[in-house]
Amino acid sequence: MKKVLIAYGTTEGQTEKIADVIADSLRSRGLDATMLDLRDSQDEAPDAYDGVIVGGSIHVGKHDKRVVDFVEKNRGTLTSRPSAFFSVSLDAHSATGEAEKYVDEFEEQTGWRPAKVALFAGALLFTQYGFVKRLMMKRIAAGKPGTLGTLGTDTSRDYVYTEWDGVRRFAEDFAAGLSAPGT
Ligand SMILES: Cc1cc2nc3c(=O)[nH]c(=O)nc-3n(C[C@H](O)[C@H](O)[C@H](O)COP(=O)(O)O)c2cc1C
């Protein structure tokens, strides 16, 4: 059974939920999927896996530092086997073009140019944010028209923008690539 590592960095938990759906999809295709929360450990060596998926969310215009560090440390391994990256942000929902820029910067910074990249919309979890974060995120969500103004601003509830079908397709595509002859 081929082994896949899903290493992810999350702050409010949405990237973890996405990683979980990816893991389930891979398992249902007969792969052995292991999730690695980079908050807990960055020492797992990905070279014991046949494929590696890395995911991270955006906060204040940047990918999670733990994800950047993990990729920098393991770039050689990531380029030597099937690997993919997914980026989680609100800009991916608003289609401003910013989500692509975050990934360009990430690739520039880490030197890793993954063959497969997915941009997934994240979540606005107003009910879980503290006072300052809630205020800040409400301002951002209200945004300028045409940018982030397509987001919800009712702070008494949460908004999840992730398109789960797209997440499953990404996982299925990765599984198909890994099962292809010669991989
Ligand atoms: C304090 C804060 C700052 C954020 N900054 C950005 C940002 O600059 N651009 C963006 O597209 N999304 C931004 N987001 C949205 C997150 O990417 C989104 O909430 C995502 O679901 C977080 O994923 P996580 O829970 O896995 O950390 C921000 C969210 C928070 C709470």
Side-chain angles (χ1 to χ4, degrees), residues 10-15 57-61 89-91 102 122-123 137:
T10 188
T11 302
E12 285 91 25
Q14 191 61 18
T15 305
S57 59
I58 294 287
H59 285 81
V60 201
S89 68
L90 289 173
D91 278 306
Y102 299 143
M137 292 314 288

Side-chain angles (χ1 to χ4, degrees), residues 8-170:
Y8 61 92
T10 188
T11 302
E12 285 91 25
Q14 191 61 18
T15 305
E16 180 162 60
K17 286 192 183 135
I18 294 172
D20 208 21
V21 169
I22 292 172
D24 276 350
S25 299
L26 295 178
R27 286 176 194 134
S28 72
R29 277 175 165 61
L31 295 167
D32 177 0
T34 300
M35 288 174 56
L36 173 65
D37 183 342
L38 294 172
R39 282 177 301 193
D40 299 337
S41 163
Q42 303 196 10
D43 297 332
E44 178 82 11
D47 46 0
Y49 295 83
D50 301 294
V52 186
I53 297 176
V54 179
S57 59
I58 294 287
H59 285 81
V60 201
K62 300 234 169 305
H63 278 99
D64 195 308
K65 167 106 177 40
R66 292 159 295 202
V67 175
V68 172
D69 290 348
F70 178 81
V71 168
E72 280 179 341
K73 194 164 132 193
N74 295 293
R75 195 177 56 224
T77 306
L78 293 173
T79 44
S80 71
R81 67 205 65 216
S83 60
F85 179 62
F86 68 92
S87 170
V88 180
S89 68
L90 289 173
D91 278 306
H93 173 71
S94 306
T96 55
E98 286 298 306
E100 287 87 348
K101 281 194 207 149
Y102 299 143
V103 174
D104 288 347
E105 280 165 22
F106 175 81
E107 292 186 1
E108 198 65 42
Q109 196 179 355
T110 59
W112 180 42
R113 302 201 185 272
K116 291 189 176 76
V117 175
L119 308 174
F120 296 133
L124 266 176
L125 305 178
F126 284 123
T127 67
Q128 296 180 33
Y129 299 151
F131 179 76
V132 174
K133 212 187 245 191
R134 189 156 56 236
L135 204 67
M136 173 181 159
M137 292 314 288
K138 185 178 177 175
R139 285 218 184 110
I140 289 175
K144 296 172 239 140
T147 55
L148 289 174
T150 53
L151 301 168
T153 53
D154 176 356
T155 55
S156 69
R157 54 162 288 193
D158 296 334
Y159 298 87
V160 175
Y161 297 105
T162 311
E163 289 175 17
W164 299 106
D165 283 349
V167 173
R168 281 185 279 267
R169 272 198 305 275
F170 168 76

